[in-house]
Amino acid sequence: MISEPELADEDGGAPRPPDRSETYVVGDDDVSRRRNARALSPRGVRWLWALGGALAASAVWAGGLYAYDRTGADLRGYRISEDLCLDADLSALSELLGGKRSPQPAVEEQRAIDRSFCDVTMMRGRPREVKDDALPSSYSSVVVNYTLHKETDPAPEFDATLTPLAHSRIVDRKTKRIPELGERAYLMTDSAGYTPELKVLDGRAVFSIEVRSEYVAEGPHGTGPPAKPERVDPDALELALVEDMKTLMAAVKK
């Protein structure tokens, strides 16, 4: 019976095949041999590759978070308005409602949101002199708001907050979609088509321009009967609002 040839020892005969566990031994103890053998086994190699892949994926994920934190949300070039009464030119509305007077701006900058506000009076002609002891019979208040959301997306809530709550002085409101203005734009008016408010969503920026008509009593210190309201064509107001809104949106971009 022929048996398998035995491997020769180190003193002679054919060279002995290298022991995989001994080739990478660091140290002379048996524990080092066993650890190296396990590390170089196919299972150990697969485990090292899996560990390396997980570490690489974690590094990419962390790098993505760092890049997002550094750059923030895409604001589409919109910036904070330090003085909204300057950025909101409102020249189209001024042609209809009269010259701008007593602008009152306000601004607040926070980590998550920037808010700017402007309230301006528009009045036709020159106001009566003080010696006449009388007030103007009518004027308009134009209120402009601009909000820049830097951390949250306002889109899901935009449509839901168009109309005022029930306790508002104007409850019955009509809503009209305005095309080709920002992402979404709506014009709200009362039942007669007056007191318009134009609201626009464009990415993280939300704008609104509202026109409120004010009337006072005639006579000394407003003691006489109320003046007859002078109405402005609602279609002309709509066109003026859209034109002034486009100018404002362009003004607050970098």
Side-chain angles (χ1 to χ4, degrees):
M1 180 176 180
I2 301 175
S3 62
E4 294 182 356
E6 296 179 357
L7 296 177
D9 57 18
E10 296 179 355
D11 296 329
R16 182 181 179 183
D19 188 338
R20 186 181 183 91
S21 65
E22 293 180 352
T23 304
Y24 295 91
V25 168
V26 180
D28 296 330
D29 58 296
D30 292 337
V31 175
S32 297
R33 289 189 180 90
R34 287 195 295 271
R35 287 178 177 173
N36 286 327
R38 285 195 301 269
L40 292 172
S41 67
R43 181 179 179 182
V45 171
R46 288 195 298 270
W47 183 84
L48 289 175
W49 274 106
L51 177 60
L55 291 175
S58 298
V60 171
W61 179 75
L65 283 182
Y66 170 75
Y68 178 82
D69 183 68
R70 182 180 60 181
T71 59
D74 180 11
L75 302 181
R76 302 187 183 182
Y78 286 111
R79 58 167 178 82
I80 188 173
S81 174
E82 299 290 349
D83 190 334
L84 196 60
C85 290
L86 292 179
D87 289 327
D89 180 70
L90 304 178
S91 57
L93 283 173
S94 185
E95 288 289 329
L96 292 175
L97 305 176
K100 295 186 293 184
R101 308 177 191 279
S102 306
Q104 299 180 22
V107 61
E108 181 182 57
E109 182 176 6
Q110 299 184 30
R111 175 183 175 87
I113 195 172
D114 293 338
R115 297 187 296 171
S116 299
F117 167 87
C118 174
D119 188 350
V120 61
T121 298
M122 291 188 177
M123 192 182 307
R124 289 189 179 90
R126 297 179 59 84
R128 299 180 181 180
E129 298 178 4
V130 177
K131 65 181 182 180
D132 290 340
D133 205 16
L135 297 173
S137 60
S138 64
Y139 60 94
S140 298
S141 293
V142 179
V143 179
V144 186
N145 281 285
Y146 164 47
T147 305
L148 185 60
H149 300 258
K150 296 181 288 186
E151 291 192 355
T152 58
D153 184 3
E157 299 178 357
F158 179 72
D159 290 5
T161 57
L162 288 174
T163 55
L165 296 177
H167 67 266
S168 172
R169 64 190 180 98
I170 300 176
V171 178
D172 185 13
R173 302 276 275 183
K174 297 188 301 182
T175 302
K176 176 183 177 181
R177 181 74 180 264
I178 305 296
E180 300 179 1
L181 182 59
E183 227 174 274
R184 296 200 297 277
Y186 298 92
L187 178 69
M188 281 74 63
T189 59
D190 59 21
S191 56
Y194 298 104
T195 317
E197 181 180 10
L198 178 62
K199 286 188 175 182
V200 178
L201 169 72
D202 193 26
R204 296 297 184 97
V206 178
F207 302 86
S208 71
I209 303 178
E210 182 181 8
V211 178
R212 303 171 183 169
S213 297
E214 309 287 352
Y215 307 100
V216 296
E218 293 182 331
H221 303 291
T223 57
K228 185 177 180 180
E230 186 176 353
R231 297 292 189 180
V232 179
D233 181 15
D235 293 334
L237 268 178
E238 177 182 330
L239 293 175
L241 279 167
V242 171
E243 182 178 340
D244 284 340
M245 180 64 79
K246 290 179 178 178
T247 303
L248 170 60
M249 294 170 67
V252 294
K253 278 197 171 184
K254 296 179 181 179

